[in-house]
Amino acid sequence: MGIKDININSYPGSEKIYVDGTLFPIKVGMRKINLTPTVTIVDGEKVFSDNGYVVVNDTSGVYTDPNVETDINKGLPRVREQWIADRGDVETLDGISSDYGRMRLADKSLDEIRFATRHNPKRALPGKNITQMAYARAGVVTAEMEYVAIRENLNNKQLGIDSYITPEFVRQEVAAGRAIIPANINHPEAEPMIIGKAFAVKLNTNIGNSALSSGIKEEVDKAIWSCYWGGDTLMDLSTGKNIHETREWIIRNCPVPVGTVPIYQALEKVDGNVAKLTWEIYRDTLIEQCEQGVDYFTIHAGVLREHAELIGSRLTGCVSRGGSIMTEWCVIHDQESFLYTHFDEICEILAQFDVAVSLGDGMRPGSIHDANDRAQFLELDVLGELTERAWKHNVQVIIEGPGHIPLHKVKENVDREAKACHEAPFYTLGPLTTDIAPGYDHITSAIGAAHIAWWGTAMICYVTPKEHLSLPDREDVRNGVIAYKIAAHAADLAKGLPGAQVRDDAMSKARFEFRWKDQFNLSLDPARARQYYIESRGKDDKFCTMCGPNFCAMRISQKICKELND
Amino acid sequence: MGIKDININSYPGSEKIYVDGTLFPIKVGMRKINLTPTVTIVDGEKVFSDNGYVVVNDTSGVYTDPNVETDINKGLPRVREQWIADRGDVETLDGISSDYGRMRLADKSLDEIRFATRHNPKRALPGKNITQMAYARAGVVTAEMEYVAIRENLNNKQLGIDSYITPEFVRQEVAAGRAIIPANINHPEAEPMIIGKAFAVKLNTNIGNSALSSGIKEEVDKAIWSCYWGGDTLMDLSTGKNIHETREWIIRNCPVPVGTVPIYQALEKVDGNVAKLTWEIYRDTLIEQCEQGVDYFTIHAGVLREHAELIGSRLTGCVSRGGSIMTEWCVIHDQESFLYTHFDEICEILAQFDVAVSLGDGMRPGSIHDANDRAQFLELDVLGELTERAWKHNVQVIIEGPGHIPLHKVKENVDREAKACHEAPFYTLGPLTTDIAPGYDHITSAIGAAHIAWWGTAMICYVTPKEHLSLPDREDVRNGVIAYKIAAHAADLAKGLPGAQVRDDAMSKARFEFRWKDQFNLSLDPARARQYYIESRGKDDKFCTMCGPNFCAMRISQKICKELND
C-alpha cells in the first residue's frame, strides 16, 4: 500500500466525520467506525438490533477524507492559517532569515528536489507573546485549545458524559505547564493535538534518512504511513544529505506536529566534526527550522561538562546521539555546553514561532545495568531548572525520558520527573524492559511503555523491531506504531480515561456475537486481523478456527443463557 | 527450519553442557553461550580481553546435543526411568487400564498412525505416596528436586553466589505447595522443571490440532519447535481426530512436561453432545491420559451449578471452553458438576501417577468489561477449597488465571489468588490488557504477562498473534514464545532474581563494543537479529545502520572516555 492507496476505504467500515467548534469556526476530523446490527431470530423472524458506532481519534488528516484531493507536491491544506492570522500578533517575513536557508534557496542545483510552493515564514510581532502557553496564562482560550478539547472527547456523547474535557480545562493544563499543544505558526497544516497526563496517551514515531539510505519521497511516504497507522507526532531524525529539503517536504505534507533534533543538522554543517560546532551555527539552524515549521525541538541542554566523567562508570556510556555529541564538545573545549549557556536565547527564538522544547535526556540509560543511575538523575534535575527558564519565556516544555529500565525501576522515573520538572509532560522512549531481545524491541519496550504511561507519561516514543539493528522499513513502522497504540490504549484503560473502553466493549460484543466484520473494523490493524482470519477460515462463521465447532465457549455461553432464560 | 534442522548449531556460538548432581547421578542440560573477547589496541598491539560465557536455561532437551541421535519414531531417552525405579514404590502394569486406550490399541486400522514403541504404564504401588509433594512433605529430597535446583542456578557461579537455590529449598517450596514439579512417572522423557514464585518465571505454550486442521507429524514438529524457542511446558489442546495417538507421539518426543484438558477428549467421545458427558467417561479419560504420561491436567472443577446465572451479566459470557462445557452440563442436568462432586476420586487417580492438577478458571473474563467480576472471584474461592482437597492427597496444584484484564486490575488477581488458594502457584493466560488488537494479541498480552509475573505469577501461558482469529502456525509459535520469553525475563529482572541480569549485561557490553556476533548469539532469537542486521548492513561494523558514522552515540562515548583518561 502506497500513499496513493491511503484513503477512507483503507479504514474499512469507517467514515470521516467533522465535529464543529462552538467557540471558533473549526472542524475537528475524526473517524467513525459504523457497526453492523446484531441479528437474532425471534419466532422465526430476523430481528435487528442496532449497535451504533465508535468514534476514534484520527491522525491521518485529510488523506482519508474522500472530499479532499491531496497531492504531496502541493502539500496539505493550511487549516490553522486563518486562526493564526485572526489573532493579529504575527507578521509575515519578506523571506527566509537563516543564512543556511538562504544559501540552500540560492542553490539552483537543488531546484529539482525542492518543494515547489514557498510560503514566507511568519514570526511574532515584536513584543507579542504568541505561544499557546502565553495565551493560556493570559486566560485566553485559543482555537487550538477548543480543537484539542473536542478531539479528546471521542465517545463521551455515547456515554452520556457532556464535555469531560472543556476548552477551559485545556487552557488551565497548558497554563500550568502540565500539557502542551505543539503548534508552530509556520506549520499550519498540522491538526492540533495535546500532550499531557490528563489526556489520552500519545505516541511519537521517528523517521529519517541516514547517510546509508532513504530518499525524500520515501521519507514523505513513511511520514504519512505513520500518521495513517496512528502516530500522533512525528520526529524527523534525518542525518543524511538534503535534510533541509527533506524536512520541507515532510512538514508541508504532515498532518501531525513534527519534531527534530537540530544538533544533528548543525553537526552535518561542520562535516561531523564535533569540535567545530558553535553556538552561531546552532542558532542559525534553529531559525532555519523554526521558519520551516518544526513544532518541537529536542535540545540536550541538560548535558553538562561536569557530567562527562559519570559516563565512565556505565556499561553502555552515553547512548543519546545528541547527548554524546554535546558531551564530547564540552570535553574537547573544556567548556560548558553552549546549549546550556545560551538557553535563554534559545527560548527567545522558540517563543517567536511557538516551537515547543523537548528537553532531551542525553544521559538516558542504554542498558538495564545503567538504569536510574546518578548520571541520569543529575541531568533530570538540570532539566527541571531549564523547564522553569523556558516557562519564563512562555515556551512550552516536555521532558524526554528513558530508555532501558527494568519494570521495578519504572515508576521512580515518573515520580522523579514530575517532582524535578514541576509536572511538565513526560515523553519517554519505551522504556525497554530487557536488553536481550534485538529484533523484538517493539515488544520489550511496549511492555515498559504501557507501564510508564499508566503511571503518567504523556507521550511514548515508539521503537520498531529493527531497533539496535538497522533502519525501519514501512512494515517496521506499522509494527512499531501498532505496538505503541496498544501500549497507549492499555494505559488509557488503566488510567480510567472516560470513553477509552467504548472501543473494547464494542469489540467484545462483536466477538461474542460472531460479527467478524465489526471485529476487523474495530481493531487497530483491520487489514491484518482480516488477513489472519481469512487465511484459515472454516466454512462456519460461528466459531473461531481455534476451537472447532464443538468447543466454542462463546457459542456454548449463548446456549446456556438461552436455556436459563427459557 | 524443520525438526531435522534443530541442533546445537541452530543456537549459534553455543554449546550444550551438563552439570552433574551431587546427591544423585543426574546430568542437568544447559546451554552455554560463549562470548568472543574484547579487542583493544594498546601501543599498536592487539590486546584480547576475555568476556567469558553466559549460561541459559535450555528447554530443547537432547535435540540440541550433538552426541545424541534423535528419532521421533523412537522417542526421546527416558532420563527419569531409573530415578523412578530406584525409589521402589511403583509397579509396571501388564497393559493399559482404560477402556478407551484398550479399544484404540485393538483397532488395527490405527496401526499406521500409532507410535511404534509401547511401554507398559507404571502406577504407584498400593498404599505408596509417590508424588513430589508427598516426598517433599516427608522430608525427602528427590532427584527431580536436585535437578531443578541446579537448573535454577544458571549464572550464580559467575556471580560468586553459591547455590542460591538448594535442593532443600526446592523441597520446602514443594512441601508448602508454593511450587510444583510436574513429573508423571509415565513421562520419564521430560527433564524436570519447577513452577513457583521463588523461581524463574516459566512459560507454557499451547499446541493441538482442531477439527479443521493439523496432522500428527505437524503437531510433534510444533511441540519440538516450541521447546526449541524456549517453552517450559506444553499443553496439547487437540480436539480433532486421533487425539489419543497424537498425544502419544507428542509425549514420547517432548522434553518438557505436557498438559492437557481431559474434558476435551471426553466430549469427543460423546460426539460433542455435552448432555451425554458422564463421570465414568471422564474417569476413563483421566486414566487413559495418566498412563500415557500427561504431567498436568486442567480441570475446571470450580465451575458450579450456581455460577451459571452469573454468565448472563457478562459481555462475553464464558470464554473458557472447559468452563462453558461444564456449565452447560450443569444447566442441562440441573446437577452439580461431576468434576466437583468427584474431585477426591480425581485426586486419588492423579496421585497414583504424580499428575499435577491445574485448576481451570472456567469463569475467566474474556473481555476488559468482564475483568475481576463476581463470577471470576467466586470461582477463585472454590479453587481455594479444591486446592486444600488436592493437597490432602499430595496432589500438586497450580491455579489458572485470566484472561483479559486492564493493567490497573492485574495486581488484585495475584493478591486474591495467593490468599484464596493458599499460595499455590498462579498460572495465567496473558492477561490481555486491551481487546482492540486482534492480530497483535501476543503484544497486548505480553504487557499483561510481564506485569502479572512481576507480581508473583509463576507461569504465563503464551498467546500468539493469531489468538481470536485462527490456529497458530510455526512462525506464530515462534513469535508467541519469544514475546513470552521477553515477558518472563522482564519479570525475572523486576523480581530481582539473582543471575537474571547476567545475560542483559553481557548483551549491553557486546553492544557497547560493537561485538555483533555476541549480540546475535545472546539474543532470544539469534536468527532474526542477525537477519535484520545483515539486510541493511553498512560497510563499517562500528556503527548501527540507525545512526550513521558521524552519529553513533556509543562510539562517541568511547572517544569521550578515552579523551578523559588521556
Side-chain angles (χ1 to χ4, degrees):
Chain A
M1 189 154 66
I3 294 168
K4 63 180 189 313
D5 307 310
I6 291 179
N7 54 55
I8 193 66
N9 296 323
S10 40
Y11 292 137
S14 298
E15 61 180 305
K16 190 91 178 181
I17 59 166
Y18 290 93
V19 178
D20 292 332
T22 52
L23 308 176
F24 294 90
I26 57 177
K27 289 180 173 298
V28 183
M30 296 176 180
R31 174 156 75 103
K32 189 178 167 200
I33 306 172
N34 292 307
L35 305 176
T36 61
T38 302
V39 185
T40 42
I41 309 290
V42 179
D43 299 330
E45 300 274 311
K46 276 191 183 174
V47 177
F48 295 87
S49 148
D50 187 26
N51 283 303
Y53 57 86
V54 173
V55 178
V56 299
N57 189 23
D58 189 350
T59 54
S60 66
V62 293
Y63 291 108
T64 52
D65 184 337
N67 300 316
V68 178
E69 198 165 319
T70 58
D71 176 355
I72 65 161
N73 295 299
K74 292 180 185 155
L76 288 171
R78 298 166 72 83
V79 280
R80 287 176 52 239
E81 197 156 52
Q82 193 57 48
W83 316 351
I84 296 160
D86 287 348
R87 291 195 282 257
D89 51 10
V90 305
E91 59 181 338
T92 303
L93 304 179
D94 293 334
I96 289 170
S97 315
S98 69
D99 294 339
Y100 188 81
R102 280 201 292 255
M103 189 190 83
R104 298 294 288 191
L105 189 58
D107 186 341
K108 295 282 173 212
S109 77
L110 296 171
D111 284 354
E112 219 169 282
I113 59 162
R114 212 187 308 276
F115 187 79
T117 319
R118 203 163 63 78
H119 299 272
N120 276 337
K122 291 187 169 57
R123 193 172 63 190
L125 283 165
K128 294 288 182 184
N129 295 317
I130 64 149
T131 72
Q132 294 293 320
M133 186 177 215
Y135 278 112
R137 285 172 159 184
V140 176
V141 168
T142 62
E144 287 83 350
M145 294 175 202
E146 188 186 22
Y147 193 103
V148 301
I150 294 169
R151 200 169 187 179
E152 294 285 323
N153 284 318
L154 292 172
N155 288 294
N156 292 352
K157 202 182 274 180
Q158 284 199 67
L159 292 172
I161 302 170
D162 196 22
S163 291
Y164 159 70
I165 304 280
T166 62
E168 169 58 18
F169 178 73
V170 169
R171 187 198 64 73
Q172 287 168 16
E173 291 295 297
V174 173
R178 282 191 300 267
I180 74 163
I181 300 174
N184 186 333
I185 52 171
N186 290 311
H187 186 199
E189 298 91 346
E191 300 179 357
M193 53 79 70
I194 192 161
I195 303 165
K197 188 176 166 177
F199 306 95
V201 174
K202 302 305 186 297
L203 78 94
N204 175 74
T205 71
N206 295 329
I207 60 159
N209 57 351
S210 80
L212 297 175
S213 65
S214 263
I216 287 178
K217 290 279 164 96
E218 287 98 86
E219 292 308 314
V220 174
D221 178 83
K222 246 190 253 173
I224 299 172
W225 183 243
S226 144
C227 296
Y228 170 74
W229 287 109
D232 295 291
T233 62
L234 179 87
M235 288 199 80
D236 172 17
L237 304 182
S238 294
T239 56
K241 280 180 190 168
N242 305 322
I243 39 184
H244 178 86
E245 289 71 26
T246 305
R247 187 184 310 121
E248 187 71 27
W249 276 89
I250 291 173
I251 293 172
R252 298 285 77 82
N253 286 291
C254 189
V256 304
V258 172
T260 63
V261 190
I263 198 80
Y264 294 175
Q265 192 186 1
L267 187 62
E268 294 282 356
K269 291 176 181 174
V270 293
D271 298 319
N273 187 338
V274 172
K276 288 191 182 161
L277 277 173
T278 63
W279 160 242
E280 288 68 29
I281 290 167
Y282 186 80
R283 183 180 174 282
D284 193 66
T285 307
L286 288 185
I287 294 168
E288 170 198 346
Q289 297 196 13
C290 283
E291 293 188 350
Q292 283 191 298
V294 173
D295 299 284
Y296 58 104
F297 289 144
T298 291
I299 300 182
H300 299 91
V303 173
L304 301 186
R305 167 71 186 91
E306 64 190 274
H307 297 163
E309 261 122 58
L310 297 171
I311 294 177
S313 64
R314 288 185 148 190
L315 197 51
T316 46
C318 177
V319 297
S320 150
R321 287 187 263 169
S324 64
I325 292 164
M326 288 318 298
T327 304
E328 194 186 2
W329 189 91
C330 292
V331 170
I332 291 172
H333 295 285
D334 198 14
Q335 274 182 30
E336 195 50 274
S337 155
F338 58 78
L339 298 180
Y340 182 79
T341 55
H342 288 271
F343 191 70
D344 286 295
E345 218 174 323
I346 290 173
C347 292
E348 279 164 23
I349 296 167
L350 271 53
Q352 293 178 300
F353 306 91
D354 199 4
V355 175
V357 62
S358 182
L359 287 169
D361 55 336
M363 291 294 166
R364 71 166 181 268
S367 56
I368 294 297
H369 179 274
D370 297 342
N372 293 19
D373 73 351
R374 194 153 167 266
Q376 187 193 333
F377 287 140
L378 274 181
E379 183 190 33
L380 189 60
D381 291 337
V382 181
L383 301 189
E385 176 209 323
L386 295 170
T387 300
E388 290 186 300
R389 280 166 67 185
W391 285 350
K392 277 192 189 142
H393 300 272
N394 293 311
V395 169
Q396 304 187 90
V397 179
I398 51 177
I399 307 293
E400 295 188 11
H404 293 236
I405 307 279
L407 272 176
H408 64 299
K409 292 188 177 174
V410 166
K411 189 166 181 295
E412 187 184 3
N413 279 274
V414 185
D415 294 344
R416 279 203 186 229
E417 187 275 340
K419 197 163 171 232
C421 301
H422 321 286
E423 299 192 80
F426 205 19
Y427 161 36
T428 62
L429 178 72
L432 286 73
T433 52
T434 163
D435 303 329
I436 66 171
Y440 297 82
D441 277 330
H442 60 313
I443 301 179
T444 66
S445 67
I447 291 170
H451 196 67
I452 206 164
W454 169 24
W455 293 121
T457 289
M459 183 156 78
I460 47 184
C461 180
Y462 90 158
V463 172
T464 78
K466 296 268 172 72
E467 182 79 12
H468 297 118
L469 296 168
S470 74
L471 271 177
D473 60 22
R474 298 175 97 242
E475 198 58 17
D476 297 315
V477 170
R478 174 185 181 177
N479 282 315
V481 173
I482 300 291
Y484 272 67
K485 290 287 283 182
I486 290 169
H489 188 71
D492 284 344
L493 291 175
K495 282 164 70 175
L497 212 72
Q501 202 182 305
V502 167
R503 190 172 183 176
D504 295 79
D505 291 351
M507 173 69 84
S508 298
K509 188 164 188 288
R511 202 165 259 161
F512 192 64
E513 295 171 355
F514 302 100
R515 286 183 282 116
W516 286 101
K517 272 185 195 166
D518 288 344
Q519 290 178 57
F520 304 146
N521 297 349
L522 285 163
S523 64
L524 290 178
D525 187 342
R528 183 157 296 169
R530 180 185 292 269
Q531 170 206 339
Y532 284 173
Y533 176 74
I534 286 173
E535 276 169 10
S536 64
R537 187 165 171 266
K539 277 175 200 153
D540 186 350
D541 253 2
K542 297 269 156 159
F543 58 89
C544 326
T545 38
M546 191 72 188
C547 301
N550 292 338
F551 286 91
C552 175
M554 297 224 256
R555 174 188 262 185
I556 296 175
S557 288
Q558 291 183 342
K559 272 172 71 183
I560 295 166
C561 290
K562 205 169 167 296
E563 278 156 13
L564 284 172
N565 289 334
D566 286 349
Chain B
M1 189 154 65
I3 294 169
K4 63 180 188 313
D5 306 311
I6 290 178
N7 54 54
I8 193 65
N9 295 325
S10 40
Y11 291 139
S14 299
E15 60 179 306
K16 190 92 177 180
I17 59 164
Y18 290 93
V19 179
D20 292 331
T22 53
L23 308 174
F24 295 91
I26 57 177
K27 288 178 174 302
V28 182
M30 295 175 180
R31 183 176 139 216
K32 190 179 165 198
I33 306 172
N34 293 307
L35 304 176
T36 61
T38 302
V39 185
T40 41
I41 309 290
V42 179
D43 299 331
E45 299 275 308
K46 276 190 183 174
V47 177
F48 296 87
S49 147
D50 188 26
N51 283 304
Y53 56 86
V54 173
V55 179
V56 299
N57 189 24
D58 189 350
T59 53
S60 66
V62 293
Y63 291 108
T64 51
D65 184 337
N67 301 315
V68 178
E69 198 166 316
T70 57
D71 177 355
I72 65 159
N73 296 298
K74 291 181 185 154
L76 288 170
R78 297 167 70 84
V79 281
R80 287 174 54 236
E81 197 157 53
Q82 193 58 48
W83 314 352
I84 296 160
D86 287 348
R87 293 195 282 257
D89 51 10
V90 306
E91 59 181 338
T92 303
L93 304 178
D94 293 336
I96 289 170
S97 313
S98 69
D99 294 340
Y100 187 81
R102 280 201 292 257
M103 191 191 83
R104 298 294 289 190
L105 189 59
D107 186 342
K108 295 285 172 208
S109 77
L110 296 170
D111 284 355
E112 220 170 279
I113 60 163
R114 213 187 307 276
F115 188 77
T117 319
R118 202 161 65 76
H119 298 273
N120 275 334
K122 290 187 170 56
R123 192 172 65 190
L125 282 166
K128 294 289 184 186
N129 295 315
I130 64 148
T131 72
Q132 295 292 321
M133 186 178 216
Y135 277 113
R137 286 170 157 184
V140 176
V141 167
T142 61
E144 286 84 350
M145 294 175 201
E146 188 186 20
Y147 193 103
V148 301
I150 293 169
R151 200 169 187 179
E152 294 285 323
N153 283 318
L154 292 172
N155 288 296
N156 292 350
K157 202 183 275 179
Q158 284 198 65
L159 293 173
I161 302 170
D162 195 21
S163 291
Y164 158 70
I165 304 280
T166 63
E168 171 57 19
F169 178 74
V170 170
R171 187 198 65 72
Q172 288 169 16
E173 291 295 297
V174 174
R178 283 191 298 267
I180 74 162
I181 302 174
N184 186 334
I185 53 172
N186 290 311
H187 186 200
E189 298 91 345
E191 299 179 357
M193 53 78 71
I194 192 162
I195 302 165
K197 186 176 166 176
F199 307 95
V201 174
K202 302 304 186 298
L203 78 95
N204 176 75
T205 71
N206 294 330
I207 60 159
N209 56 352
S210 79
L212 297 176
S213 67
S214 262
I216 288 179
K217 290 279 165 93
E218 287 97 88
E219 291 308 314
V220 173
D221 177 83
K222 245 190 252 173
I224 298 171
W225 182 245
S226 143
C227 296
Y228 169 74
W229 288 108
D232 294 291
T233 62
L234 179 87
M235 289 198 81
D236 172 18
L237 303 183
S238 295
T239 54
K241 279 178 190 171
N242 306 321
I243 39 183
H244 178 85
E245 289 71 27
T246 305
R247 186 186 309 123
E248 187 72 25
W249 277 90
I250 291 173
I251 293 173
R252 299 287 75 84
N253 286 293
C254 189
V256 305
V258 173
T260 63
V261 190
I263 200 78
Y264 294 176
Q265 192 186 4
L267 187 62
E268 294 281 357
K269 290 174 181 175
V270 294
D271 298 320
N273 186 336
V274 172
K276 286 190 181 166
L277 277 174
T278 63
W279 159 242
E280 288 69 28
I281 289 166
Y282 187 79
R283 183 179 175 280
D284 194 66
T285 307
L286 288 184
I287 293 169
E288 171 200 344
Q289 298 195 12
C290 283
E291 292 188 352
Q292 283 190 298
V294 173
D295 298 284
Y296 57 103
F297 289 144
T298 291
I299 301 183
H300 299 89
V303 173
L304 301 186
R305 168 71 186 90
E306 64 190 274
H307 296 163
E309 263 122 56
L310 297 172
I311 294 178
S313 65
R314 288 184 148 189
L315 197 52
T316 46
C318 176
V319 297
S320 150
R321 286 187 264 171
S324 64
I325 292 164
M326 288 317 299
T327 303
E328 192 185 7
W329 189 91
C330 292
V331 170
I332 292 172
H333 294 286
D334 198 14
Q335 274 181 32
E336 194 48 274
S337 155
F338 59 76
L339 298 180
Y340 182 79
T341 56
H342 288 272
F343 191 70
D344 286 296
E345 217 174 324
I346 290 172
C347 292
E348 280 166 22
I349 295 168
L350 270 53
Q352 293 178 300
F353 306 91
D354 199 3
V355 174
V357 62
S358 182
L359 288 169
D361 54 336
M363 293 293 166
R364 72 166 179 266
S367 56
I368 294 298
H369 179 275
D370 297 343
N372 294 17
D373 74 351
R374 193 151 167 265
Q376 187 193 333
F377 286 141
L378 274 180
E379 183 190 33
L380 190 60
D381 291 338
V382 181
L383 301 189
E385 176 209 323
L386 295 170
T387 300
E388 291 186 298
R389 279 165 71 184
W391 284 350
K392 277 193 188 140
H393 299 274
N394 293 309
V395 169
Q396 303 186 92
V397 179
I398 51 178
I399 308 292
E400 295 187 11
H404 294 235
I405 307 278
L407 272 176
H408 64 299
K409 292 189 177 176
V410 166
K411 190 166 181 292
E412 186 184 4
N413 279 273
V414 186
D415 294 343
R416 279 205 187 227
E417 187 275 341
K419 198 166 173 228
C421 301
H422 321 286
E423 298 193 83
F426 204 19
Y427 162 36
T428 62
L429 178 72
L432 286 73
T433 51
T434 163
D435 304 328
I436 65 169
Y440 297 82
D441 277 330
H442 60 313
I443 300 178
T444 65
S445 66
I447 291 170
H451 195 68
I452 206 164
W454 169 24
W455 292 121
T457 288
M459 183 155 79
I460 47 183
C461 180
Y462 90 158
V463 171
T464 79
K466 297 267 173 76
E467 183 79 12
H468 297 118
L469 297 167
S470 73
L471 273 176
D473 61 22
R474 298 175 96 244
E475 200 57 17
D476 297 315
V477 170
R478 174 185 182 178
N479 283 316
V481 173
I482 299 294
Y484 273 67
K485 291 287 283 183
I486 290 168
H489 188 71
D492 284 345
L493 291 175
K495 282 163 70 174
L497 212 71
Q501 203 181 306
V502 168
R503 191 173 183 175
D504 295 79
D505 290 351
M507 173 68 85
S508 299
K509 189 164 188 287
R511 201 164 261 162
F512 193 63
E513 295 171 356
F514 303 99
R515 286 182 282 114
W516 286 100
K517 272 186 194 165
D518 288 344
Q519 290 180 54
F520 305 145
N521 297 350
L522 284 163
S523 65
L524 290 177
D525 187 342
R528 183 157 298 169
R530 178 186 293 269
Q531 172 207 335
Y532 284 173
Y533 176 74
I534 286 174
E535 277 170 10
S536 64
R537 187 168 173 265
K539 276 175 201 153
D540 185 350
D541 253 4
K542 297 271 157 158
F543 58 89
C544 325
T545 37
M546 190 74 188
C547 302
N550 291 340
F551 286 90
C552 177
M554 298 225 256
R555 176 188 261 186
I556 296 175
S557 288
Q558 290 183 345
K559 271 171 71 184
I560 295 166
C561 289
K562 209 171 163 294
E563 278 158 12
L564 284 171
N565 289 333
D566 284 350

